[in-house]
Amino acid sequence: MLLEIISEAVVGRAEHTFTWTHTLPADGVVQVLGVRPGPSEARVRAEGGSPQAEVTVDVDLWFLGQDGTRVTRTRCQTVQPAPVALRGNLLSDPSYDLRLLGNARTTDVRVEDGSVHLDMAVTVEVEARALTRYWVRAEDHVPAR
């Protein structure tokens, strides 16, 4: 005999590493002396039934320019698809949670063609939850005497 169980459960999980390039005007920058990624946040956007990750990272940059050294903060942002393979007998549309795995990181920075190009990378985990149905085998239980 089988028993029907209906419960909210994790119906999919995926890990993605996103890379992107953030560009800002050089405004007299001759050389980038240092880069420090700061606070990061990630949130999920479910558009068209497929989750997308929106990641924002604040980055401090130290520049050498014609008027000396200066520090500036820039906000780097990306929105990228974050697909999750779903499994199980879903009874409702899934909801998605997103979290950062580790810290955002810079992979390259360069000054070219009057712009500063900052290459970023971040890894996220996406989890899907939904109301689902599953069946378990019911064992005949005979109480001990």
Side-chain angles (χ1 to χ4, degrees):
M1 176 155 93
L2 295 176
L3 290 175
E4 177 184 36
I5 306 283
I6 296 177
S7 177
E8 183 177 72
V10 174
V11 295
R13 187 175 285 137
E15 187 176 300
H16 299 283
T17 298
F18 300 124
T19 58
W20 75 99
T21 300
H22 179 78
T23 303
L24 60 148
D27 292 333
V29 171
V30 175
Q31 182 180 6
V32 177
L33 302 173
V35 178
R36 185 186 64 83
S40 305
E41 61 183 45
R43 67 184 184 109
V44 68
R45 294 176 14 179
E47 295 178 1
S50 179
Q52 293 191 354
E54 180 179 332
V55 179
T56 304
V57 183
D58 290 333
V59 178
D60 293 331
L61 296 133
W62 284 262
F63 295 128
L64 177 61
Q66 298 160 346
D67 55 347
T69 303
R70 65 184 163 114
V71 178
T72 189
R73 175 169 284 181
T74 187
R75 178 160 280 185
C76 305
Q77 187 173 31
T78 187
V79 177
Q80 297 192 26
V84 178
L86 302 176
R87 54 188 185 276
N89 186 2
L90 307 185
L91 301 176
S92 66
D93 289 334
S95 62
Y96 298 96
D97 291 316
L98 182 82
R99 69 182 182 102
L100 291 169
L101 297 178
N103 297 317
R105 52 209 176 276
T106 55
T107 58
D108 190 27
V109 63
R110 61 202 173 280
V111 180
E112 292 175 341
D113 303 324
S115 296
V116 176
H117 303 276
L118 182 60
D119 295 339
M120 302 293 300
V122 67
T123 302
V124 300
E125 179 184 69
V126 186
E127 183 178 270
R129 298 181 70 82
L131 194 61
T132 187
R133 171 186 295 131
Y134 56 98
W135 299 88
V136 294
R137 191 171 150 151
E139 298 294 329
D140 292 334
H141 179 68
V142 179
R145 296 184 188 213

